[in-house]
Amino acid sequence: MTISKATLLNDSFDTIMTRLQAQVTSVTTASSVSFTVQTYTSSFPDSLISSKSSYPILILEPFNVNWEEFTFKKKSAKGRFTIDIYCTNSEATDLFLDKIIDSIETYRTTLADLKMYQVQLEDTDHDSVTREGFKVHRRSCTFSFRLDFAKTSP
Protein backbone atom coordinates (compact mmCIF):
# COMPACT_ATOMS: atom_id res chain seq x y z
CA MET A 1 0.00 0.00 0.00
CA THR A 2 1.20 3.50 -0.82
CA ILE A 3 -0.35 6.57 0.71
CA SER A 4 -1.97 8.46 -2.15
CA LYS A 5 -2.57 12.22 -2.42
CA ALA A 6 -6.16 11.51 -3.50
CA THR A 7 -6.90 9.45 -0.39
CA LEU A 8 -4.32 10.92 1.97
CA LEU A 9 -6.44 11.08 5.13
CA ASN A 10 -8.02 7.66 4.71
CA ASP A 11 -4.78 5.92 3.69
CA SER A 12 -2.80 7.48 6.56
CA PHE A 13 -5.47 6.59 9.10
CA ASP A 14 -5.76 2.99 7.84
CA THR A 15 -1.98 2.54 7.86
CA ILE A 16 -1.59 3.66 11.48
CA MET A 17 -4.75 1.91 12.73
CA THR A 18 -3.66 -1.39 11.18
CA ARG A 19 -0.30 -1.06 12.92
CA LEU A 20 -1.92 -0.30 16.28
CA GLN A 21 -4.35 -3.23 16.00
CA ALA A 22 -1.44 -5.57 15.28
CA GLN A 23 1.02 -4.28 17.86
CA VAL A 24 -0.97 -2.78 20.73
CA THR A 25 -3.27 -5.52 21.96
CA SER A 26 -2.57 -6.11 25.66
CA VAL A 27 -0.28 -5.32 28.59
CA THR A 28 0.45 -6.95 31.92
CA THR A 29 1.06 -4.90 35.08
CA ALA A 30 3.72 -5.59 37.71
CA SER A 31 1.05 -7.35 39.77
CA SER A 32 0.42 -9.76 36.83
CA VAL A 33 -2.96 -8.30 35.88
CA SER A 34 -3.54 -8.36 32.11
CA PHE A 35 -5.51 -5.77 30.16
CA THR A 36 -6.59 -6.33 26.55
CA VAL A 37 -7.88 -3.57 24.28
CA GLN A 38 -11.65 -3.99 23.90
CA THR A 39 -12.28 -1.34 21.25
CA TYR A 40 -10.23 0.35 18.51
CA THR A 41 -12.01 3.40 17.11
CA SER A 42 -11.63 6.93 15.73
CA SER A 43 -13.72 8.66 18.41
CA PHE A 44 -14.92 7.99 21.92
CA PRO A 45 -18.06 5.82 21.76
CA ASP A 46 -21.28 7.84 21.89
CA SER A 47 -22.97 5.40 24.22
CA LEU A 48 -22.41 5.68 27.94
CA ILE A 49 -19.74 3.21 29.01
CA SER A 50 -20.68 2.23 32.53
CA SER A 51 -18.75 -1.02 32.84
CA LYS A 52 -15.07 -1.58 33.61
CA SER A 53 -15.13 -4.51 31.19
CA SER A 54 -15.59 -2.08 28.27
CA TYR A 55 -12.05 -0.76 28.81
CA PRO A 56 -9.31 -0.35 27.56
CA ILE A 57 -10.37 1.73 24.57
CA LEU A 58 -7.80 2.86 22.00
CA ILE A 59 -8.71 5.90 19.90
CA LEU A 60 -6.83 7.03 16.81
CA GLU A 61 -8.23 10.49 16.24
CA PRO A 62 -8.82 11.73 12.67
CA PHE A 63 -5.69 13.18 11.05
CA ASN A 64 -5.09 16.91 10.61
CA VAL A 65 -3.07 18.02 7.56
CA ASN A 66 -2.08 21.17 5.72
CA TRP A 67 -0.37 21.43 2.34
CA GLU A 68 2.75 23.46 1.69
CA GLU A 69 5.06 24.05 -1.24
CA PHE A 70 8.03 21.68 -1.04
CA THR A 71 9.83 22.22 -4.35
CA PHE A 72 8.83 23.64 -7.74
CA LYS A 73 7.24 20.31 -8.68
CA LYS A 74 6.25 18.88 -5.31
CA LYS A 75 3.98 19.73 -2.43
CA SER A 76 4.25 18.50 1.10
CA ALA A 77 1.38 17.54 3.38
CA LYS A 78 2.34 18.14 6.98
CA GLY A 79 0.11 16.45 9.48
CA ARG A 80 -0.52 15.36 13.03
CA PHE A 81 -2.36 12.51 14.63
CA THR A 82 -3.21 11.76 18.23
CA ILE A 83 -3.68 8.36 19.83
CA ASP A 84 -5.56 8.06 23.14
CA ILE A 85 -5.77 5.04 25.42
CA TYR A 86 -8.44 4.87 28.13
CA CYS A 87 -8.07 2.26 30.85
CA THR A 88 -9.27 1.63 34.40
CA ASN A 89 -5.73 0.99 35.69
CA SER A 90 -3.13 3.78 35.79
CA GLU A 91 -0.12 1.48 35.42
CA ALA A 92 -1.70 -0.33 32.48
CA THR A 93 -2.47 3.02 30.83
CA ASP A 94 1.21 3.98 31.06
CA LEU A 95 2.26 0.58 29.69
CA PHE A 96 -0.14 0.97 26.77
CA LEU A 97 1.29 4.41 26.01
CA ASP A 98 4.81 2.97 25.90
CA LYS A 99 3.59 0.25 23.55
CA ILE A 100 1.82 2.76 21.30
CA ILE A 101 4.90 4.96 21.02
CA ASP A 102 7.15 1.97 20.36
CA SER A 103 4.80 0.59 17.70
CA ILE A 104 5.04 3.87 15.73
CA GLU A 105 8.75 4.41 16.36
CA THR A 106 9.73 0.91 15.20
CA TYR A 107 7.57 1.35 12.07
CA ARG A 108 9.31 4.50 10.79
CA THR A 109 11.21 2.71 7.99
CA THR A 110 8.02 1.10 6.67
CA LEU A 111 6.18 4.43 6.94
CA ALA A 112 8.96 6.08 4.92
CA ASP A 113 8.56 3.36 2.27
CA LEU A 114 4.88 4.38 2.13
CA LYS A 115 5.99 8.03 1.65
CA MET A 116 5.18 9.11 5.24
CA TYR A 117 8.35 10.86 6.40
CA GLN A 118 9.68 12.48 9.57
CA VAL A 119 7.22 10.76 11.90
CA GLN A 120 8.04 12.33 15.26
CA LEU A 121 6.55 12.16 18.74
CA GLU A 122 5.43 15.72 19.51
CA ASP A 123 3.69 15.45 22.86
CA THR A 124 2.18 13.22 25.51
CA ASP A 125 -0.66 14.02 27.88
CA HIS A 126 -2.67 12.44 30.70
CA ASP A 127 -5.94 12.85 32.54
CA SER A 128 -8.35 10.87 34.69
CA VAL A 129 -12.03 11.04 35.51
CA THR A 130 -14.41 9.10 37.74
CA ARG A 131 -17.30 7.50 35.84
CA GLU A 132 -20.04 5.31 37.25
CA GLY A 133 -18.05 4.71 40.45
CA PHE A 134 -14.68 3.80 38.90
CA LYS A 135 -11.72 5.83 37.71
CA VAL A 136 -10.80 5.99 34.02
CA HIS A 137 -7.26 7.03 33.13
CA ARG A 138 -6.36 8.56 29.76
CA ARG A 139 -2.91 8.80 28.19
CA SER A 140 -2.37 10.31 24.78
CA CYS A 141 0.47 10.93 22.38
CA THR A 142 0.62 13.18 19.34
CA PHE A 143 2.84 12.53 16.32
CA SER A 144 3.72 14.77 13.39
CA PHE A 145 4.62 13.62 9.88
CA ARG A 146 5.28 14.80 6.32
CA LEU A 147 4.06 13.35 3.01
CA ASP A 148 5.53 14.53 -0.31
CA PHE A 149 3.64 14.33 -3.59
CA ALA A 150 3.66 15.76 -7.11
CA LYS A 151 1.79 19.04 -7.60
CA THR A 152 -1.32 19.07 -9.71
CA SER A 153 -0.84 21.37 -12.68
CA PRO A 154 -3.46 24.09 -13.19
Side-chain angles (χ1 to χ4, degrees):
M1 173 187 190
T2 299
I3 298 173
S4 163
K5 173 180 67 168
T7 54
L8 173 93
L9 294 173
N10 190 54
D11 290 350
S12 300
F13 182 90
D14 288 348
T15 297
I16 299 299
M17 182 59 91
T18 299
R19 177 67 176 181
L20 293 170
Q21 289 171 332
Q23 298 293 314
V24 183
T25 57
S26 63
V27 297
T28 303
T29 64
S31 59
S32 299
V33 178
S34 292
F35 293 85
T36 301
V37 175
Q38 299 302 305
T39 304
Y40 297 87
T41 186
S42 63
S43 63
F44 201 82
D46 288 332
S47 60
L48 180 63
I49 299 174
S50 58
S51 169
K52 280 185 161 187
S53 64
S54 298
Y55 294 90
I57 299 170
L58 188 147
I59 300 172
L60 173 58
E61 295 180 14
F63 284 42
N64 296 312
V65 298
N66 65 327
W67 290 6
E68 298 178 357
E69 300 293 324
F70 185 60
T71 66
F72 286 118
K73 294 186 178 189
K74 287 188 174 183
K75 278 193 171 185
S76 177
K78 294 189 177 187
R80 293 169 56 97
F81 61 93
T82 299
I83 305 164
D84 299 313
I85 185 74
Y86 292 83
C87 189
T88 58
N89 180 284
S90 179
E91 180 186 357
T93 309
D94 290 340
L95 293 170
F96 272 117
L97 185 67
D98 283 340
K99 216 168 196 183
I100 291 166
I101 293 169
D102 186 60
S103 74
I104 302 300
E105 180 62 28
T106 59
Y107 200 49
R108 289 167 50 101
T109 301
T110 303
L111 290 172
D113 292 342
L114 298 172
K115 309 300 184 210
M116 184 181 274
Y117 303 108
Q118 298 175 343
V119 179
Q120 298 292 333
L121 177 64
E122 294 281 318
D123 190 28
T124 61
D125 192 20
H126 64 90
D127 196 7
S128 63
V129 64
T130 300
R131 296 184 64 135
E132 302 293 323
F134 59 91
K135 198 167 197 176
V136 177
H137 305 270
R138 177 192 58 85
R139 291 297 312 236
S140 70
C141 53
T142 301
F143 289 88
S144 61
F145 65 93
R146 187 190 89 226
L147 282 152
D148 298 334
F149 53 89
K151 285 185 190 178
T152 305
S153 298

